[in-house]
C-alpha cells in the first residue's frame, strides 16, 4: 500500500470517476491510475469501485467506507508535513486563502498588509471564487482558509467561524428619485430596475427573502459577483444597486450616493472556514486572528479537533 494508490482512489471519487482528469491531477497516466486502483483493491481484497467494462461508474458500499479512511490518512499525512515544518522552526511557506470578490477586495487588504509585515517570508496565494468552489478547495487541500458570507457552514467536513456582521446598502446616482424618499421601503425599490449580486453571493439570499416576504417581485435586471461591476452599471443609470456596505467608498465612488438599507434586509455574517482535522501552521492561526480578533486560538484548535464549531 502506498500514498499514490490512496490519492488515486480519492481523486477518482472527487472527479466523478473520470480517470483522465485523475491522471492530470496526479501528473501521471490513465493506465497508471487504473493500475494503482486495481493493486490496492487486490491488496485489500475489496472491490472499491463499480465498473462498466473498464470504466468506473461509482463506488461500492465497502468502497464508500474505505474512502472515508483514505481521506483521514491523507489528511494526517498532510498534517505531518505541516507539523514537521512548524517544529523545525521554519517561518517560511505559503498560506493559501480563498475568498469571494467582496471579501478579497474590501475586507482582506489591511489583514494581508499586517500579516506580511509580521511574516515577510510567507507567500500568500489569494484566490477568488464562489462560496461552493471555496468549500471544495478547502476540502481538497487546494486552499488552507476560506472566507465567504454564504455556504461555508453547510459542509460538515469544514469548521467555520463567524467573523463579523454587515448589512446591505442601496446605491443610486446623484439626483435619483429614491433620494427624496425617507425611509426607503421595499415597495419603493420595486419601482426601479435593480442591480445586485448573483444568487449565492454576498447575502443575496437575504435580499430575495425580504422581497418574497413582502409579496413583491422586483425587476432584477442585472447581477454580478463583483461589487465594482454593480456600481459601474449603477453609475451609468441602468438601475438601483444593492451592495455590501463595505463596498462603498464616499471618496472614491463619486457621482453616487449610498442609502441605509439595514431596515429592509437581514444582516449578514461573514464566516471563515478550514478543513476539519487540519493542522494549521502558527502563521495561519495569526492570519485568522487578525481577520477575526474576537476568536481565540484555543477555540479554533478545539473545533478543528472535533470539539465543536
Amino acid at each position: 500500500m502506498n500514498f499514490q494508490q490512496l490519492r488515486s482512489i480519492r481523486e477518482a471519487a472527487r472527479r466523478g470517476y473520470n480517470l483522465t482528469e485523475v491522471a492530470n491531477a496526479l501528473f501521471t497516466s490513465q493506465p497508471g491510475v487504473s493500475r494503482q486502483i486495481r493493486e490496492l483493491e487486490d491488496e485489500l481484497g475489496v472491490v472499491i469501485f463499480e465498473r462498466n467494462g473498464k470504466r468506473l461508474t461509482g463506488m461500492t458500499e465497502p468502497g464508500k467506507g474505505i474512502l472515508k479512511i483514505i481521506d483521514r490518512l491523507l489528511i494526517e499525512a498532510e498534517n505531518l508535513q505541516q507539523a514537521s515544518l512548524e517544529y523545525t522552526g521554519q517561518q517560511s511557506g505559503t498560506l493559501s486563502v480563498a475568498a469571494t470578490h467582496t471579501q478579497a477586495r474590501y475586507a482582506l487588504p489591511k489583514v494581508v498588509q499586517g500579516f506580511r509585515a509580521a511574516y515577510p517570508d510567507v507567500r500568500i496565494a489569494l484566490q477568488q471564487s464562489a462560496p461552493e468552489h471555496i468549500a471544495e478547495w478547502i476540502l481538497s487541500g487546494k486552499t488552507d482558509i476560506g472566507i465567504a458570507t454564504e455556504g461555508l457552514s453547510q459542509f460538515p467536513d469544514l469548521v467555520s467561524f463567524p467573523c463579523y456582521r454587515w448589512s446591505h446598502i442601496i446605491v443610486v446616482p446623484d439626483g435619483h428619485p429614491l433620494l427624496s424618499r425617507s425611509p426607503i421601503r421595499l415597495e419603493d425599490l420595486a419601482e426601479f430596475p435593480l442591480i445586485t449580486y448573483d444568487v449565492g453571493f454576498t447575502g443575496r439570499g437575504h435580499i430575495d427573502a425580504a422581497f418574497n416576504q413582502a409579496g413583491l417581485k422586483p425587476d432584477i435586471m442585472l447581477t454580478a459577483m463583483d461589487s465594482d461591476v454593480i456600481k459601474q452599471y449603477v453609475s451609468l443609470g441602468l438601475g438601483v444597486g444593492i451592495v455590501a456596505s463595505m463596498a462603498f467608498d464616499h471618496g472614491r465612488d463619486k457621482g453616487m450616493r449610498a442609502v441605509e438599507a439595514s431596515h429592509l434586509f437581514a444582516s449578514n455574517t461573514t464566516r471563515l472556514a478550514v478543513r476539519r482535522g487540519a493542522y494549521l501552521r502558527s502563521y495561519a492561526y495569526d492570519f485568522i486572528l487578525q481577520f477575526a480578533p474576537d476568536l481565540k486560538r484555543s477555540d479554533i484548535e478545539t473545533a478543528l479537533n472535533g470539539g465543536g464549531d
Side-chain angles (χ1 to χ4, degrees), residues 272-289:
L272 180 149
V274 294
R275 186 174 57 188
R276 192 178 298 278
Y279 182 94
L280 297 181
R281 301 283 301 276
S282 291
Y283 59 68
Y285 281 107
D286 287 350
F287 182 93
I288 293 171
L289 295 177

Side-chain angles (χ1 to χ4, degrees), residues 17 23 31-32 40 43 46 80 134 190 207 220-221 228 232 262 282:
Y17 316 111
L40 184 59
E43 182 176 347
V46 175
L80 184 60
I134 292 172
I207 295 171
I220 299 180
M221 57 81 61
D228 292 334
Q232 177 64 32
S262 60
S282 291

Side-chain angles (χ1 to χ4, degrees), residues 10 12 21 57 69 93 102 111 153 171 177 189 209 220 235 269 302:
R10 182 175 69 177
E21 291 187 9
T57 59
I69 297 172
T102 300
V111 175
S153 62
V171 180
L189 281 178
I220 299 180
S235 71
T269 300
T302 298

Side-chain angles (χ1 to χ4, degrees), residues 82 92-96 121-125 144 281 283:
Q82 295 298 319
S92 61
T94 299
L95 179 65
S96 179
D121 295 326
V122 176
R123 188 175 73 89
I124 298 176
D144 302 308
R281 301 283 301 276
Y283 59 68

Side-chain angles (χ1 to χ4, degrees), residues 15 37 54 58 80 104 131 133 149 158 176 186 190 204 227 245 259 280 286 307:
R15 298 177 186 277
I37 292 173
K54 294 184 178 181
L80 184 60
H133 293 151
T149 296
L158 297 182
H176 194 277
L186 288 173
R204 170 64 187 273
S227 303
S245 55
V259 182
L280 297 181
D286 287 350

Side-chain angles (χ1 to χ4, degrees), residues 20-204:
T20 300
E21 291 187 9
V22 175
N24 291 336
L26 297 178
F27 304 102
T28 185
S29 66
Q30 183 174 334
V33 171
S34 297
R35 185 180 65 254
Q36 296 285 354
I37 292 173
R38 181 64 75 182
E39 287 177 353
L40 184 59
E41 288 182 320
D42 291 344
E43 182 176 347
L44 297 177
V46 175
V47 177
I48 296 174
F49 292 102
E50 297 174 345
R51 290 172 170 84
N52 183 0
K54 294 184 178 181
R55 185 168 60 88
L56 303 186
T57 59
M59 300 204 76
T60 64
E61 285 304 314
K64 293 175 183 177
I66 289 172
L67 178 61
K68 293 179 181 178
I69 297 172
I70 288 174
D71 279 335
R72 292 199 297 270
L73 287 171
L74 291 176
I75 288 172
E76 290 302 328
E78 293 163 7
N79 288 345
L80 184 60
Q81 292 177 329
Q82 295 298 319
S84 67
L85 295 173
E86 185 73 17
Y87 295 142
T88 55
Q90 295 189 33
Q91 291 301 307
S92 61
T94 299
L95 179 65
S96 179
V97 180
T100 58
H101 172 269
T102 300
Q103 302 302 324
R105 171 68 178 82
Y106 300 105
L108 281 175
K110 289 185 178 180
V111 175
V112 171
Q113 185 180 38
F115 179 83
R116 284 287 299 159
Y119 296 94
D121 295 326
V122 176
R123 188 175 73 89
I124 298 176
L126 182 59
Q127 306 168 81
Q128 297 178 54
S129 192
E132 61 270 21
H133 293 151
I134 292 172
E136 292 171 2
W137 290 346
I138 303 169
L139 291 170
S140 69
K142 181 179 179 181
T143 192
D144 302 308
I145 296 170
I147 300 171
T149 296
E150 302 193 23
L152 296 183
S153 62
Q154 300 172 8
F155 292 82
D157 291 329
L158 297 182
V159 180
S160 68
F161 305 93
C163 298
Y164 68 94
R165 297 179 69 83
W166 56 270
S167 299
H168 289 102
I169 58 171
I170 299 163
V171 180
V172 294
D174 286 337
H176 194 277
L178 278 176
L179 294 173
S180 63
R181 306 183 192 184
S182 181
I184 293 176
R185 304 171 303 153
L186 288 173
E187 290 80 2
D188 298 323
L189 281 178
E191 294 178 15
F192 300 92
L194 301 182
I195 306 173
T196 191
Y197 299 105
D198 288 340
V199 173
F201 281 82
T202 321
R204 170 64 187 273

